[in-house]
Amino acid sequence: NQVKNNALELACSDLNGDCRQSQCCKSPGQTCFEKNEFWATCQDDCAPGVRAEDEDQEPWTCRALGHRTTFPAGCTWAGEDCSQATMCCNLGFMCLKKDEYWTSCMQKEQGPWDNLGKPQAYVATPEGWNGTHFGDWRSEWELEPAPGAPLATTSLFCFMAVMADGPERAL
C-alpha cells in the first residue's frame, strides 16, 4: 500500500505545475482546477472568472479535474500497520509489536474513562504477541470557550467533519 501511495504521489503534479495530465496534486488539500483546455493547476480552491494577476485575462472555468488530495491522518487505524506512524487513531488503542514482521494498533483500554483518564477496563495483549509498546492513541483536546459566548452544558457536543469533496469546504 505504501508503494502504491508513493507511485501516486510521484505521478501527481507540483504546485504551479500543469496538472491536466495527472489530474491530481501532491499537496494535501489541493485540487487540480482547469483554467481552459490548455492549462490547469493545483489550488486550494477556485473562483470562476478572470483573475487580475493573469497576463492573458482569460477566465478560469474552475472545473475540478480529479479529486482533492487528502490530508494524512498522522495516525494509524485499528488493525493497520503502525510501524511508521506509531500513534493510533482509535481511542484506547496502542501501537504494539506482534513479531518481527507485524506491528499494529490493538485495543488495550476500554472506556468510558474517568476524569483522571482511568479506563473502565484494560484489555489483555493478545496471546502470541510480543507486546512491545511503540505508541499510544491520539488525544482529544479541550477547547476554550469563545470570549463572551454563552457556555454550553454537557448535553451539547461539537463535532467537526471535513468532507474532501463536500459542501463543508465552503463553510
Side-chain angles (χ1 to χ4, degrees):
N1 194 19
Q2 184 66 32
V3 172
K4 181 180 175 186
N5 287 342
N6 287 342
L8 284 174
E9 185 177 304
L10 291 175
C12 291
S13 300
D14 289 315
L15 183 65
N16 299 322
D18 188 352
C19 57
R20 287 176 297 148
Q21 292 290 343
S22 68
Q23 297 191 357
C24 65
C25 303
K26 286 184 180 178
S27 298
Q30 294 202 326
T31 304
C32 178
F33 287 107
E34 177 187 75
K35 176 177 185 172
N36 54 36
E37 64 181 301
F38 305 108
W39 181 252
T41 191
C42 296
Q43 304 173 65
D44 292 330
D45 53 20
C46 189
V50 176
R51 295 184 184 172
E53 67 270 12
D54 285 351
E55 291 179 21
D56 63 12
Q57 293 298 290
E58 281 191 41
W60 283 75
T61 66
C62 289
R63 183 170 67 100
L65 306 177
H67 299 285
R68 182 173 307 281
T69 303
T70 58
F71 287 91
C75 57
T76 305
W77 293 101
E80 293 182 355
D81 177 21
C82 60
S83 60
Q84 299 298 313
T86 59
M87 183 182 300
C88 297
C89 298
N90 305 82
L91 187 64
F93 283 66
M94 296 179 181
C95 181
L96 300 177
K97 180 177 182 174
K98 178 179 182 180
D99 54 35
E100 62 182 298
Y101 304 106
W102 186 245
T103 303
S104 181
C105 288
M106 298 294 296
Q107 187 171 18
K108 290 297 292 173
E109 294 184 8
Q110 187 174 5
W113 288 261
D114 66 18
N115 291 340
L116 300 175
K118 183 177 178 183
Q120 181 181 28
Y122 292 96
V123 178
T125 301
E127 191 173 319
W129 280 64
N130 169 300
T132 302
H133 175 242
F134 290 106
D136 293 320
W137 60 87
R138 176 175 277 171
S139 298
E140 298 174 355
W141 295 279
E142 184 176 342
L143 300 177
E144 295 295 323
L151 296 178
T153 64
T154 56
S155 64
L156 175 67
F157 297 92
C158 179
F159 296 91
M160 178 175 39
V162 177
M163 304 296 287
D165 294 326
E168 294 86 0
R169 176 91 173 110
L171 297 177

